C-alpha cells in the first residue's frame, strides 16, 4: 500500500534542523524548536507505528519510480518499531540537552547536527534500497563525527580519531559489498535482491559478499573483534550525545544485520556458526572489560558491547522464538542504554565526577532520584518484573531448542556480570558514604527548578517506558512476534514492495 | 581494459591495507582514501564496460537490442565520491587538530589517561 506519511518523520527532523540553522546565535529558540521538533516527530512515528501494527506494510516510491527501479521506502513492523524507539530517544535527549549541554556547544550548532543525526537514523530504518541505506549510514556517521568532536577537548579528539577511522573503514567494506552485490544481481532494491540472489549459481561468491556486510555492520554494531573503538570514544562526549550514541548508533548496525541477513542472505550453517562465535565472544569480552573500569560511563560502554552479543546470538540461532527474544531485547536495550548515559550525566551534575571511587552517598542526599535510577539499573540487570527479564526467557528457550549450550552459558555469564556491576554501582555510587564532602561540586542544587525538571524529566520518561515494557510484556511480545514472523518469512515484504 | 582495472583495484586495496596498518595518522588517512578509491573502481568494473554504447533505445525499436553500458554504477560512484570527499575533508581537519594538541603523528600516543569527562 502506498502512503507518503512514511517519510514524515525524516522530513520533520530535516526541517527542524534547517529552521534551527536560521537561528544560529539564539540558543533558547533552538532549544524550544528542538523539543517541538522531536515532539512532532514522535507524534508522526506513533501514528505510523499504529497504522502498520493494525494494517498492511506501507511503501512509498520516491518520485513515483516503480520498484525495483527507483528508491523505495518501506514501513514494515521492524522499521516502524525502530522509528518509534528513535522518536522516544530523540524526545528524551532533546529535553535533556536543553540543560545538559553547554551553551558554547550550542553556539557551534549542536542542535541542528543532532536533528540531522536523527533524520539519518529514521531514513536508514525506513529505506528499502541497499545503496540508499549506505547513504543514510553516511549521513549518520558524518553527524556523529561532528557531535563527538564538538567542544574540541583533547580526550574527545583522541576518541574521535579511532571512531572516525573505523567507521569510514566500515563504510568502505559495506560499499564494496554493495558493489559486488550489484555486479552479481544487477539490482539494489532489497526485496528484488532477495529474489534474484536465489537464482545465482555460484553460491560461494554470495557467502563472500555476505562477509563484507558482516564486517561492515560488525564494526558499526561494535561486535567482537571489531568493538575497540566504542569503549575508547563513548566516554568522551557530553552525556546527551553519549546517550544517543549508546542507545541508537550501534543499533543501526544491528538493524543492518537483521535486515540483510534475513532478507538478502539467508545464513547457511557456516555463517550461523560465525555469527554465534562472534556473539559469545562479544558477550564475554564486553562483560569482562566492564568489570575493571572505575568510570561509570566506561562501564556502560562495555555493557553496550556485551548486550549486543545477546541480540546477535538470537539472530544466529535463526529460529522464530530466538528472533522474538532478540527483538524484544533490542527494544528493552535501546530504552535502558540511553537512560543509563543520561543518568551518568545527571550524576555528574550532582557530584561533578563519574568515577566510582570518588562518588558516594547519593541515596542519603537524593532518595527519590536514587529510586528512579534504581528502576533503570534493575531493568538493566533483568530483575523479574522489569524489562530485561522477559527477552532472556525467549533467548534461553531458543538456545535450548537449538541445543546451543555455549550461547546459553554466555548469556548466563553476561547476565551475572551485569548483575554484579549493578550491585557494585549501587553500593559505590548510592550507598557508600561519600569520601570527603569538601570536593563535591553539586551543580544541581543551585539550578532553577525548571532546569532541574529538564534534567530529570527525560530520565523519568525513559524509566516509564522501561516499566511499560516490563509490566506490559505481553503487548511487546505481540509486536516482537510480528517482527519475528516478518524476519522468518520475508514474502509479505517482497510482495508489498514489488506488488506481486 | 578489464584486466588493467582489476590490476589497479588490487593494487589500490593492497596499498590501502598496508598504509592502514602503519602507526602514523597521516598514513592511516591515506590508506582509507586509497581503499575508498579502490572500491569506486570496483563498482565501475562491475557495471558493463563497453565503449560508445549508451543506454538509449533506438527510435524504431522497443527495447535495447545490444549490450549497453550501465549508467547505475556511475551514479553510485558519483555519490560515493561526493560522500568520501566530505568525510576526507573532515578527517583532515580532525587530524590537524589532534596534531596541534598532542604534537605527534603516532597513533599509539592517543591514549592519554583521563580522569574527568564532560
Amino acid at each position: 500500500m502506498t502512503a507518503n506519511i512514511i517519510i514524515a518523520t525524516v522530513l520533520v527532523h530535516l526541517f527542524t534542523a534547517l529552521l534551527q540553522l536560521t537561528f544560529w546565535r539564539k540558543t533558547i529558540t533552538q532549544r524550544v524548536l528542538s523539543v517541538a521538533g522531536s515532539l512532532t516527530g514522535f507524534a508522526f512515528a506513533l501514528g505510523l507505528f499504529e497504522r502498520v501494527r493494525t494494517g498492511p506494510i506501507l511503501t512509498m516510491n520516491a518520485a513515483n519510480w516503480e520498484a525495483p527501479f527507483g528508491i523505495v521506502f518501506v514501513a514494515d513492523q521492524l522499521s516502524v518499531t525502530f522509528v518509534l524507539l528513535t522518536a522516544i530517544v530523540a524526545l528524551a535527549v532533546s529535553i535533556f540537552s536543553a540543560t545538559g549541554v553547554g551553551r558554547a556547544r550550542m553556539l557551534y550548532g549542536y542542535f541542528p547536527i543532532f536533528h540531522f543525526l536523527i533524520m539519518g537514523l529514521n531514513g536508514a530504518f525506513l529505506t528499502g534500497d541497499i545503496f540508499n541505506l549506505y547513504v543514510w549510514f553516511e549521513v549518520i556517521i558524518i553527524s556523529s563525527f561532528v557531535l563527538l568532536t564538538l567542544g574540541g577537548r583533547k580526550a574527545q579528539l583522541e576518541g574521535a580519531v579511532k571512531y572516525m577511522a573505523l567507521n569510514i573503514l566500515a563504510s568502505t567494506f559495506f560499499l564494496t559489498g554493495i558493489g559486488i552485490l550489484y555486479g552479481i544481481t544487477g539490482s539494489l532494491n532489497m526485496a528484488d535482491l532477495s529474489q534474484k540472489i536465489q537464482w545465482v549459481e555460484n553460491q560461494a561468491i554470495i557467502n563472500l559478499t555476505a562477509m563484507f556486510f558482516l564486517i561492515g555492520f560488525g564494526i558499526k554494531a561494535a561486535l567482537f573483534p571489531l568493538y575497540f573503538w566504542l569503549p575508547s570514544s563513548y566516554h568522551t562526549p557530553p552525556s546527551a550525545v553519549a546517550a544517543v550514541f549508546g542507545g541508537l548508533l550501534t543499533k543501526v548496525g544491528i538493524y543492518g544485520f537483521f535486515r540483510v541477513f534475513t532478507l538478502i542472505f539467508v545464513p547457511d550453517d557456516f555463517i550461523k556458526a560465525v555469527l554465534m562465535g562472534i556473539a559469545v565472544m562479544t558477550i564475554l569480552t564486553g562483560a569482562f572489560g566492564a568489570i575493571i573500569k572505575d568510570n561509570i560511563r566506561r562501564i556502560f560502554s562495555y555493557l553496550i558491547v556485551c548486550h549486543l552479543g545477546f541480540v546477535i546470538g538470537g539472530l544466529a540461532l535463526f529460529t522464530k522464538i530466538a528472533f522474538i527474544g532478540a527483538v524484544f531485547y533490542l527494544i528493552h536495550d535501546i530504552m535502558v542504554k540511553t537512560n543509563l548515559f543520561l543518568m551518568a550525566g545527571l550524576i555528574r551534575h550532582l557530584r561533578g565526577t563519574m568515577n566510582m571511587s570518588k562518588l558516594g552517598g547519593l541515596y542519603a542526599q537524593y532518595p527519590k532520584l536514587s529510586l528512579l535510577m534504581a528502576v533503570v539499573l534493575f531493568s538493566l540487570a533483568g530483575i523479574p518484573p522489569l524489562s530485561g527479564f522477559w527477552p532472556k526467557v525467549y533467548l534461553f528457550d531458543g538456545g535450548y531448542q537449538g541445543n546451543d549450550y555455549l550461547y546459553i552459558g554466555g548469556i548466563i555469564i553476561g547476565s551475572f556480570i551485569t548483575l554484579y556491576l549493578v550491585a557494585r554501582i549501587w553500593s559505590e555510587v548510592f550507598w557508600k558514604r561519600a569520601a570527603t564532602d569538601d570536593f563535591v561540586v553539586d551543580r544541581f542544587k543551585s539550578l532553577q527548578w525548571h532546569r532541574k525538571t529538564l534534567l530529570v524529566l527525560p530520565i523519568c520518561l525513559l524509566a516509564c517506558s522501561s516499566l511499560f515494557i516490563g509490566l506490559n510484556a505481553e503487548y511487546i511480545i505481540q509486536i516482537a512476534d510480528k517482527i519475528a514472523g516478518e524476519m522468518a518469512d520475508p514474502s509479505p515484504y517482497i510482495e508489498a514492495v514489488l506488488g506481486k | 581494459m578489464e584486466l588493467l582495472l582489476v590490476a589497479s583495484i588490487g593494487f589500490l586495496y593492497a596499498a590501502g591495507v598496508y598504509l592502514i596498518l602503519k602507526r602514523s595518522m597521516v598514513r592511516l588517512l591515506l590508506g582509507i582514501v586509497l581503499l575508498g578509491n579502490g572500491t569506486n573502481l570496483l563498482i565501475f568494473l562491475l557495471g558493463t564496460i563497453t565503449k560508445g554504447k549508451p543506454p538509449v533505445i533506438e527510435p524504431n525499436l522497443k527495447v535495447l537490442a545490444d549490450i549497453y553500458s550501465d549508467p547505475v554504477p556511475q551514479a553510485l560512484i558519483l555519490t560515493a565520491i561526493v560522500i568520501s570527499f566530505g568525510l576526507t575533508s573532515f578527517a583532515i581537519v580532525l587530524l590537524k587538530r589532534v596534531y596541534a594538541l598532542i604534537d605527534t603523528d603516532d597513533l599509539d600516543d592517543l591514549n592519554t589517561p583521563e580522569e574527568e569527562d564532560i
Side-chain angles (χ1 to χ4, degrees):
Chain A
M1 224 174 101
T2 308
N4 289 337
I5 187 147
I6 297 175
I7 205 79
T9 47
V10 179
L11 292 181
V12 165
H13 286 284
L14 174 66
F15 284 115
T16 312
L18 291 180
L19 203 59
Q20 281 170 336
L21 283 177
T22 62
F23 293 98
W24 185 250
R25 307 283 302 175
K26 303 192 173 58
T27 56
I28 305 275
T29 323
Q30 285 195 7
R31 287 176 227 201
V32 174
L33 277 175
S34 173
V35 176
S38 298
L39 262 177
T40 323
F42 175 68
F44 276 114
L46 197 64
L48 186 64
F49 179 80
E50 276 303 312
R51 225 177 124 178
V52 173
R53 189 178 69 85
T54 50
I57 295 173
L58 303 175
T59 60
M60 190 203 96
N61 296 327
N64 259 345
W65 281 91
E66 263 182 44
F69 301 107
I71 290 169
V72 61
F73 283 84
V74 189
D76 65 344
Q77 191 67 42
L78 177 65
S79 301
V80 293
T81 310
F82 269 99
V83 167
L84 183 64
L85 293 169
T86 308
I88 297 173
V89 169
L91 180 60
V93 172
S94 39
I95 297 173
F96 189 87
S97 303
T99 314
V101 174
R103 190 162 182 276
R105 282 197 170 86
M106 290 182 194
L107 285 176
Y108 282 97
Y110 167 79
F111 278 119
I113 303 288
F114 169 73
H115 283 282
F116 280 130
L117 175 69
I118 302 293
M119 175 192 85
L121 287 163
N122 278 317
F125 294 142
L126 287 170
T127 186
D129 182 282
I130 190 112
F131 190 77
N132 200 231
L133 182 64
Y134 163 77
V135 175
W136 288 118
F137 266 59
E138 300 301 300
V139 172
I140 295 168
I141 63 170
I142 193 79
S143 321
S144 66
F145 287 169
V146 181
L147 284 181
L148 193 67
T149 49
L150 205 62
R153 278 161 44 264
K154 198 172 162 192
Q156 270 184 304
L157 294 180
E158 287 183 358
V161 171
K162 301 159 197 167
Y163 181 83
M164 173 210 74
L166 273 167
N167 271 290
I168 296 184
L169 192 64
S171 300
T172 311
F173 271 107
F174 186 24
L175 188 61
T176 311
I178 293 174
I180 298 174
L181 209 53
Y182 184 79
I184 307 170
T185 59
S187 178
L188 292 167
N189 183 297
M190 288 200 258
D192 196 32
L193 279 172
S194 171
Q195 291 186 323
K196 283 193 175 154
I197 209 140
Q198 296 162 9
W199 305 333
V200 177
E201 283 169 21
N202 186 355
Q203 284 295 319
I205 201 166
I206 303 282
N207 269 353
L208 193 73
T209 319
M211 281 299 143
F212 276 107
F213 283 91
L214 188 93
I215 298 170
F217 290 140
I219 295 178
K220 286 192 191 291
L223 301 179
F224 177 86
L226 309 161
Y227 67 86
F228 296 100
W229 58 270
L230 191 147
S232 56
S233 62
Y234 272 26
H235 65 285
T236 57
S239 285
V241 176
V244 187
F245 283 19
L248 291 173
L249 281 204
T250 45
K251 274 65 174 184
V252 190
I254 300 284
Y255 170 81
F257 268 109
F258 277 10
R259 192 55 98 201
V260 167
F261 281 89
T262 58
L263 191 61
I264 301 176
F265 308 104
V266 178
D268 57 4
D269 287 338
F270 170 68
I271 292 186
K272 277 185 206 167
V274 169
L275 278 174
M276 187 49 86
I278 289 174
V280 174
M281 287 310 290
T282 308
I283 296 174
L284 294 181
T285 47
F288 286 117
I291 286 185
I292 53 163
K293 297 295 172 196
D294 187 49
N295 185 312
I296 49 176
R297 275 217 306 214
R298 281 187 187 246
I299 295 180
F300 296 154
S301 303
Y302 272 103
L303 283 180
I304 292 178
V305 176
C306 167
H307 294 158
L308 287 172
F310 292 1
V311 179
I312 288 300
L315 179 68
L317 286 168
F318 219 78
T319 54
K320 200 179 165 195
I321 198 121
F323 283 158
I324 296 177
V327 169
F328 195 158
Y329 199 89
L330 209 56
I331 295 173
H332 143 81
D333 204 52
I334 289 176
M335 291 292 112
V336 169
K337 289 283 154 43
T338 312
N339 212 354
L340 285 176
F341 280 97
L342 292 184
M343 236 173 71
L346 181 62
I347 290 176
R348 192 187 142 80
H349 267 89
L350 296 173
R351 280 287 185 270
T353 176
M354 285 194 255
N355 288 15
M356 289 202 295
S357 48
K358 289 186 196 157
L359 285 163
L362 271 187
Y363 184 67
Q365 207 179 344
Y366 297 99
K368 282 179 207 152
L369 280 183
S370 301
L371 279 178
L372 179 65
M373 296 191 214
V375 171
V376 186
L377 288 170
F378 286 175
S379 308
L380 175 73
I383 310 283
L386 296 169
S387 59
F389 170 70
W390 307 109
K392 280 181 199 154
V393 176
Y394 282 85
L395 290 176
F396 268 111
D397 203 2
Y400 274 117
Q401 284 181 12
N403 283 327
D404 212 314
Y405 297 104
L406 201 66
Y407 175 54
I408 294 174
I411 298 185
I412 292 174
I413 295 176
S415 307
F416 182 73
I417 292 179
T418 310
L419 184 66
Y420 163 74
L421 284 168
V422 166
R424 194 166 135 224
I425 290 172
W426 185 251
S427 72
E428 291 268 326
V429 178
F430 297 95
W431 263 354
K432 182 184 75 182
R433 184 177 300 198
T436 39
D437 289 329
D438 314 341
F439 297 108
V440 171
V441 195
D442 193 339
R443 284 189 291 159
F444 186 72
K445 213 173 221 170
S446 54
L447 289 176
Q448 293 148 308
W449 69 268
H450 70 273
R451 288 180 166 256
K452 282 185 187 171
T453 320
L454 285 176
L455 281 179
V456 178
L457 185 72
I459 299 179
C460 253
L461 179 79
L462 289 175
C464 288
S465 312
S466 283
L467 276 178
F468 176 80
I469 293 170
L471 300 178
N472 205 359
E474 201 182 333
Y475 175 74
I476 306 292
I477 284 169
Q478 278 173 10
I479 307 277
D481 185 66
K482 197 174 166 197
I483 295 173
E486 280 173 356
M487 284 162 71
D489 172 26
S491 56
Y493 181 95
I494 296 167
E495 205 174 301
V497 174
L498 299 179
K500 57 186 170 189
Chain B
M1 182 67 187
E2 269 92 345
L3 212 60
L4 188 69
L5 276 176
V6 169
S8 46
I9 291 167
F11 179 73
L12 282 173
Y13 268 87
V17 171
Y18 176 76
L19 285 174
I20 282 179
L21 296 176
K22 291 276 174 181
R23 290 217 320 243
S24 152
M25 285 196 292
V26 176
R27 294 205 176 128
L28 171 75
L29 180 65
L30 288 177
I32 289 173
V33 171
L34 287 187
L35 270 184
N37 286 340
T39 312
N40 288 344
L41 270 187
L42 178 77
I43 299 175
F44 182 61
L45 175 69
L46 288 167
T48 328
I49 298 185
T50 51
K51 210 173 158 189
K53 286 183 179 152
V56 180
I57 304 172
E58 299 288 323
N60 51 352
L61 289 175
K62 282 258 162 65
V63 287
L64 280 166
D66 202 2
I67 288 178
Y68 63 96
S69 57
D70 191 351
V72 176
Q74 291 162 30
L76 301 187
I77 295 168
L78 203 60
T79 316
I81 288 174
V82 173
I83 290 174
S84 66
F85 168 74
L87 290 177
T88 313
S89 40
F90 179 86
I92 292 171
V93 176
L94 176 67
L95 293 191
K96 187 171 176 294
R97 282 288 300 153
V98 173
Y99 183 73
L101 270 175
I102 62 172
D103 208 23
T104 168
D105 187 36
D106 194 335
L107 282 166
D108 276 3
D109 292 335
L110 281 184
N111 297 311
T112 325
E114 196 214 3
E115 282 300 298
E116 269 320 313
D117 350 276
I118 300 293

